[in-house]
């Protein structure tokens, strides 16, 4: 159930949730439905760094990656035309990032799916995810992050029978109406 309902029609939203939950595709449909711009934080990072995320994490380490991610998040929230922002799966777990998102006036929404659902998507995706190369390690991360994801303003339970398009439609109805 939502905790608060945004009052302004110009509300901006940041989608969080575990790897493989579908943040990027839901964000794409959401931006189409709202007829607004969107930023995918992972893509922005790769564009600005001229490297794949996997390469950054593997070569420079996860802490260096998190610093790059925060720097790019600061850029992303400045783009007021981009009302939809899809985060990386770990972005919301960093307190500084949560502050940046809140202070920029974005509503946060946790796309919450089962580990089974996320892992199935991770396994068939071509996207390389250094933090999910091993199923047990990914499961541990998934369990650890639940209590931080639930700090988001909205909690949206992703049911596997719904497509990303349908989920985006439900978010428009619940968050933007
Ligand atoms: C990460 C998730 C990835 C990407 C990076 C780290 C994480 O994004 O940002 O590999 O810490 O969960 P997706 O959630 O889009 O896969």
């Amino acid at each position: 159930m939502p905790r608060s309902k945004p009052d302004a029609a110009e509300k901006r939203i940041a989608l969080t949730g575990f790897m493989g939950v579908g943040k990027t595709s839901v964000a794409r449909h959401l931006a189409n439905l709202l007829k607004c711009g969107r930023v995918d934080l992972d893509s922005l990072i790769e564009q600005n760094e001229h490297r794949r995320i996997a390469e950054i994490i593997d070569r420079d380490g996860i802490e260096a990656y998190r610093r790059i991610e925060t720097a790019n998040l600061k850029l992303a929230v400045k783009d007021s035309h981009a009302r939809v922002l899809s985060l990386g799966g770990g972005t919301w777990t960093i307190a500084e990032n949560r502050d940046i998102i809140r202070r920029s006036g974005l509503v946060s929404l946790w796309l919450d799916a089962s580990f089974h659902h996320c892992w199935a998507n991770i396994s068939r995706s071509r996207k390389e995810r250094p933090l999910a190369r091993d199923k047990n390690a990914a499961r541990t991360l998934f369990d650890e992050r639940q209590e931080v994801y639930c700090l988001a303003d909205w909690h949206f339970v992703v049911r596997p029978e719904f497509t990303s398009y349908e989920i985006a439609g439900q978010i428009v109805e619940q968050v933007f109406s």
Side-chain angles (χ1 to χ4, degrees):
M1 281 296 285
R3 290 183 185 157
S4 63
K5 209 160 186 171
D7 40 10
E10 290 305 300
K11 212 73 194 170
R12 297 167 69 205
I13 189 166
L15 300 182
T16 186
F18 199 66
M19 294 173 269
V21 76
K23 297 179 291 293
T24 302
S25 33
V26 171
R28 194 173 54 242
H29 291 300
L30 201 46
N32 283 341
L33 290 170
L34 295 171
K35 298 187 176 32
C36 69
R38 79 177 163 103
V39 173
D40 180 71
L41 186 57
D42 286 356
S43 304
L44 183 69
I45 291 169
E46 294 192 337
Q47 202 179 302
N48 288 340
E49 291 294 309
H50 309 288
R51 291 190 289 169
R52 313 295 295 170
I53 285 177
E55 192 187 333
I56 304 173
I57 295 177
D58 287 339
R59 295 228 175 136
D60 302 355
I62 191 66
E63 285 180 18
Y65 173 71
R66 293 296 176 211
R67 284 193 292 275
I68 292 170
E69 184 180 45
T70 298
N72 279 275
L73 176 65
K74 287 177 182 166
L75 296 177
V77 296
K78 279 189 189 144
D79 182 354
S80 57
H81 296 293
R83 289 173 58 205
V84 178
L85 170 60
S86 43
L87 304 172
T91 318
W92 182 256
T93 66
I94 308 294
E96 182 183 359
N97 296 343
R98 295 196 295 275
D99 276 355
I100 293 168
I101 291 163
R102 287 189 188 117
R103 276 192 277 109
S104 310
L106 279 87
V107 168
S108 51
L109 184 142
W110 171 26
L111 287 173
D112 176 18
S114 68
F115 179 74
H116 178 78
H117 180 74
C118 295
W119 185 254
N121 287 337
I122 290 170
S123 306
R124 62 172 166 255
S125 160
R126 297 216 319 256
K127 179 173 179 177
E128 208 189 334
R129 291 179 165 99
L131 303 186
R133 288 187 177 122
D134 170 82
K135 188 176 180 181
N136 288 333
R139 171 89 231 193
T140 303
L141 209 52
F142 179 92
D143 291 340
E144 283 170 3
R145 287 179 174 177
Q146 298 302 294
E147 61 182 15
V148 191
Y149 287 141
C150 76
L151 299 174
D153 299 318
W154 289 69
H155 178 192
F156 187 97
V157 177
V158 173
R159 305 232 312 268
E161 63 269 30
F162 290 116
T163 64
S164 308
Y165 177 75
E166 288 166 334
I167 291 168
Q170 292 165 13
I171 293 173
V172 170
E173 271 175 31
Q174 292 178 32
V175 181
F176 290 87
S177 61

